[in-house]
Amino acid sequence: MFRKTGADVVLAGEGTEWEAMKYARDAAAMGLSRAVLWLGHQASESPGMRRIADALRARCSAPVVWLDQPEAFAWSPGKS
């Protein structure tokens, strides 16, 4: 993605390319502006699933319930 688009940052819900993280780390160490941000399943899919539930609720006679799922991981400040 970096090579194809010339992007400095890739923001994705989830990635299959394990090399992206290593590339971004090595590129940053060489002074290039590169970063990868993985949101994960829950953070990237939840808003879309809520929208689908709203659309189904408006079109279906059966009850439609969207169940929010808390984050699987919690971040705490650490030392750099």
Side-chain angles (χ1 to χ4, degrees):
M1 188 56 62
F2 289 110
R3 193 177 311 134
K4 287 180 181 179
T5 65
D8 293 329
V9 178
V10 172
L11 173 64
E14 187 172 328
T16 57
E17 298 181 28
W18 61 270
E19 301 97 341
M21 298 301 279
K22 291 183 181 246
Y23 168 78
R25 183 194 62 213
D26 291 348
M30 293 188 304
L32 300 172
S33 296
R34 298 291 185 269
V36 177
L37 301 172
W38 299 129
L39 295 176
H41 271 312
Q42 200 279 335
S44 64
E45 294 175 1
S46 186
M49 295 306 294
R50 180 186 300 210
R51 190 168 180 182
I52 289 171
D54 291 342
L56 287 171
R57 195 176 297 112
R59 291 170 179 81
C60 295
S61 59
V64 176
V65 178
W66 177 75
L67 301 173
D68 193 12
Q69 180 66 32
E71 290 286 341
F73 300 100
W75 297 95
S76 62
K79 295 181 181 180
S80 324

